[in-house]
Amino acid sequence: MTTQEILVKAGQLVLSLSILVVLHELGHFIPAKLFGARVEKFYLFFDPWFSLFKKKKGDTEYGIGWLPLGGYVKISGMVDESMDREQLSKPPEPHEFRSKPAWQRLIIMIGGVTVNIILGFLIYAMMLWHWGESYLPTQNVKYGVAVDSLAGSIGLKDGDMVLSVNNKPVENFRAIPAEILLREATSIQVSRNGQHLDIPIPDGFKRQMIKEKGTLLGIRIPFAIDSVVKGSEAEKAGFRKGDQVLTLNSQPAYFLHEFRKAIVLSKNKQAAIEVLRDGDTLRLIANVPESATLGIYGSTPDKVFTFVTKEYGFFEALPAGFSKCINTLVKYVQQLRLIFVSKEVKASESLGGFLSIGNLFPGQWDWMSFWEMTALLSIILAFMNILPIPALDGGHVLFLLYEIITGRKPSEKFLEYAQIGGMVLLFGLLLYANGLDIWRNIFHK
């Protein structure tokens, strides 16, 4: 990965998290102000003068928000470990959070999660309205699939036409790996040379999918040259737009993935490449640099395959965006569930910190990809924040629901210790997830 790609990924990550954190905290800030609770401070990322564990007489301020990502709103009168014992024994002031009715406190606490869900929905809706929705149907992958080494290990072969996963057709070709994982599939059905085959998926395969993070199944696409970089080795060798690559050093290279495999073996050497041009077969000699790139690009998939594209009007995009938001949330919960119920999915191989999140962004700035990732992170942030863990919004909601149902408020001392325990758990998980990222990058695991 180049320095430019790293900076672009980091820039997208910081901008995305900044948007999410500010809007999440506004979700707490606005209802707090509406209900007359005093908001002392509003911060993006962190307040360098605020310590979670400081003791200061009369300090009744507490930062709410998703602290591992940074950013919080400090509201007077919230019970936490920094509150003075003398202050706890006094009746709450009218402007304090703890003086408000339980239903108002509940709305304040779920405000951040609510905003994140609404944001995810609005981003998806506006993306559908602006760009529409396009995907490649599995049945339109007319040249079959290009398999990686992992897919090949279970018997899949280049050129196989995927029919179904667990005997259930998959409409969107790109969704096949997710279907294998989320449905814990045991077989995949393909057509090979006109014969229908049932390929069993052995135990341990899904674990390897997660560990290796491979493409598994790519699109087999003919390598017809669409453009030649000026001054490149390809131009010097005589390549032209429209040439169809046939072989490289007598090895099959008709399809793009075949060419990529073959060209790597010719680094720092000369390569003899046969191409079809205007019905004639030509043999071109190219010097292959260390990068194994010649400066030729093939046609994009949308020029070769028939994609399904649906355009949305503004009012059509709203329900479609809501549906996509809910489906994304369901799929994320299904992925998280696998960590606890699947024998193959291991937390140490599936979890990741900020490096893993940053790598989800493309190496080149693309607004469509940026907003799609921001919508996904917004939904993930909402779900993680509503978990019933003290120090997260969900922990406060749990205690407030207990108060509403029983009519009894948990003791402030109990809330204080629960807050400390929650913070220890959260920072432990944060260190663990980011530690895994560092370990993987050092040892390439």
Side-chain angles (χ1 to χ4, degrees):
M1 191 184 302
T2 65
T3 302
Q4 180 179 346
E5 288 175 329
I6 293 173
L7 292 175
V8 169
K9 285 175 177 283
Q12 291 178 94
L13 175 63
V14 171
L15 177 57
S16 179
L17 293 184
S18 299
I19 294 170
L20 296 178
V21 169
V22 167
L23 293 179
H24 178 94
E25 301 311 326
L26 276 174
H28 297 301
F29 178 90
I30 294 173
K33 296 293 286 185
L34 289 175
F35 294 138
R38 180 181 295 170
V39 178
E40 303 290 348
K41 292 183 179 181
F42 183 105
Y43 271 91
L44 170 64
F45 295 127
F46 65 92
D47 173 3
W49 311 113
F50 179 68
S51 170
L52 287 170
F53 298 103
K54 72 180 181 181
K55 296 289 182 180
K56 179 181 176 183
K57 187 173 182 180
D59 184 1
T60 61
E61 299 170 345
Y62 170 52
I64 60 174
W66 220 68
L67 291 170
L69 288 182
Y72 56 86
V73 174
K74 292 175 70 174
I75 302 177
S76 293
M78 291 192 70
V79 179
D80 79 317
E81 76 290 338
S82 67
M83 289 187 71
D84 185 81
R85 294 289 186 274
E86 182 181 344
Q87 187 69 24
L88 285 172
S89 64
K90 294 180 180 179
E93 297 292 333
H95 65 266
E96 290 187 336
F97 176 83
R98 57 190 180 134
S99 72
K100 304 303 176 183
W103 67 270
Q104 291 186 1
R105 283 180 278 141
L106 180 63
I107 291 175
I108 293 172
M109 292 313 307
I110 65 173
V113 170
T114 303
V115 166
N116 282 130
I117 291 293
I118 293 174
L119 177 63
F121 147 64
L122 287 177
I123 290 176
Y124 281 137
M126 294 303 99
M127 287 181 65
L128 292 173
W129 181 38
H130 183 74
W131 285 295
E133 188 173 30
S134 181
Y135 68 93
L136 177 60
T138 302
Q139 64 181 14
N140 290 355
V141 183
K142 57 187 178 182
Y143 299 107
V145 299
V147 303
D148 63 10
S149 58
L150 181 59
S153 70
I154 65 170
L156 290 168
K157 293 184 178 181
D158 287 345
D160 284 348
M161 308 285 290
V162 177
L163 303 175
S164 58
V165 174
N166 266 9
N167 293 300
K168 180 181 177 182
V170 182
E171 173 65 16
N172 186 345
F173 177 79
R174 295 297 184 192
I176 291 175
E179 287 293 311
I180 293 173
L181 280 175
L182 298 183
R183 299 186 183 279
E184 298 192 82
T186 58
S187 65
I188 180 169
Q189 292 70 45
V190 303
S191 174
R192 181 182 300 164
N193 299 323
Q195 183 182 6
H196 286 205
L197 300 176
D198 189 87
I199 308 295
I201 298 176
D203 292 339
F205 179 76
K206 289 177 278 295
R207 181 182 179 186
Q208 285 299 114
M209 282 181 63
I210 296 171
K211 190 175 181 179
E212 295 186 11
K213 298 179 174 65
T215 55
L216 193 65
L217 298 176
I219 303 170
R220 202 162 70 144
I221 181 171
F223 191 17
I225 297 176
D226 187 63
S227 62
V228 180
V229 177
K230 196 169 184 179
S232 66
E233 294 295 336
E235 186 184 52
K236 295 174 185 176
F239 286 89
R240 297 181 187 174
K241 179 178 179 179
D243 287 350
Q244 170 62 60
V245 178
L246 301 176
T247 65
L248 191 154
N249 289 340
S250 301
Q251 296 298 313
Y254 183 83
F255 295 102
L256 179 59
H257 73 286
E258 294 175 332
F259 181 86
R260 286 174 173 169
K261 289 179 182 178
I263 195 71
V264 171
L265 302 176
S266 297
K267 288 193 297 185
N268 300 316
K269 300 176 184 177
Q270 284 190 332
I273 303 172
E274 289 187 343
V275 300
L276 184 66
R277 180 186 299 168
D278 299 327
D280 295 325
T281 300
L282 305 179
R283 190 171 184 266
L284 306 176
I285 305 298
N287 294 313
V288 183
E290 174 64 28
S291 62
T293 56
L294 295 180
I296 47 178
Y297 296 93
S299 300
T300 55
D302 59 292
K303 294 180 179 179
V304 180
F305 303 100
T306 303
F307 280 68
V308 171
T309 302
K310 184 175 182 181
E311 303 292 338
Y312 291 87
F314 179 79
F315 293 105
E316 292 176 311
L318 294 177
F322 180 78
S323 177
K324 190 167 185 177
C325 177
I326 298 302
N327 289 337
T328 301
L329 176 60
V330 169
K331 287 182 179 179
Y332 177 71
V333 174
Q334 288 176 332
Q335 293 176 46
L336 203 61
R337 169 184 167 274
L338 291 177
I339 296 177
F340 300 98
V341 303
S342 175
K343 296 179 180 179
E344 297 187 32
V345 180
K346 308 296 181 183
S348 60
E349 297 169 351
S350 306
L351 297 178
F354 293 117
L355 286 175
S356 293
I357 297 173
N359 280 328
L360 295 175
F361 289 93
Q364 295 181 334
W365 198 285
D366 178 80
W367 282 112
M368 185 174 178
S369 297
F370 171 81
W371 286 117
E372 188 165 21
M373 273 303 306
T374 300
L376 173 62
L377 291 177
S378 188
I379 292 167
I380 292 175
L381 178 61
F383 177 78
M384 297 301 292
N385 228 342
I386 204 62
L387 292 176
I389 300 174
L392 288 180
D393 296 345
H396 292 284
V397 169
L398 180 65
F399 298 142
L400 283 170
L401 290 176
Y402 171 82
E403 179 182 346
I404 291 172
I405 294 171
T406 65
R408 297 192 303 272
K409 187 177 181 180
S411 72
E412 293 178 338
K413 189 172 184 180
F414 170 80
L415 294 177
E416 176 186 352
Y417 287 125
Q419 174 70 20
I420 295 174
M423 289 306 306
V424 170
L425 175 61
L426 285 179
F427 279 105
L429 289 173
L430 182 66
L431 290 172
Y432 177 65
N434 284 281
L436 288 174
D437 275 348
I438 296 171
W439 176 268
R440 293 184 192 121
N441 279 272
I442 292 176
F443 296 100
H444 305 288
K445 292 188 176 183

